[in-house]
Amino acid sequence: MDDSYLKYEQKAIKAKEKISVLEKELLEVRNKLNSDQFNINLMHELKRINIRMSKAIYELKHSQLVLEKPNSIL
């Protein structure tokens, strides 16, 4: 296999792992927010996690696109 292909495979794996971790963090923060709805620190943490998750999802989709059509981007 091509080194570029392996690189994007690794990126996809890392993005999936990152999404999994962030989903757990998101669940924890949401549970804490249920008991303390006006905690500004928890709200900021929720936003931070959402932004990081959006970035990880974008990275995953991009890697998957490259892996589906390797000749067009590589």
Side-chain angles (χ1 to χ4, degrees), residues 24-48:
K24 291 175 187 172
E25 288 181 22
L26 187 63
L27 183 62
E28 289 176 18
V29 171
R30 283 184 177 165
N31 288 335
K32 289 177 184 177
L33 270 173
N34 284 335
S35 62
D36 189 6
Q37 296 178 0
F38 301 106
N39 186 327
I40 194 75
N41 291 329
L42 290 174
M43 289 181 202
H44 286 295
E45 183 68 12
L46 183 69
K47 288 179 184 178
R48 183 191 66 80

Side-chain angles (χ1 to χ4, degrees), residues 7-19:
K7 178 178 118 180
Y8 281 101
E9 259 188 348
Q10 287 298 319
K11 282 185 175 189
I13 291 169
K14 286 181 183 179
K16 287 179 185 178
E17 291 170 355
K18 193 182 303 183
I19 291 168

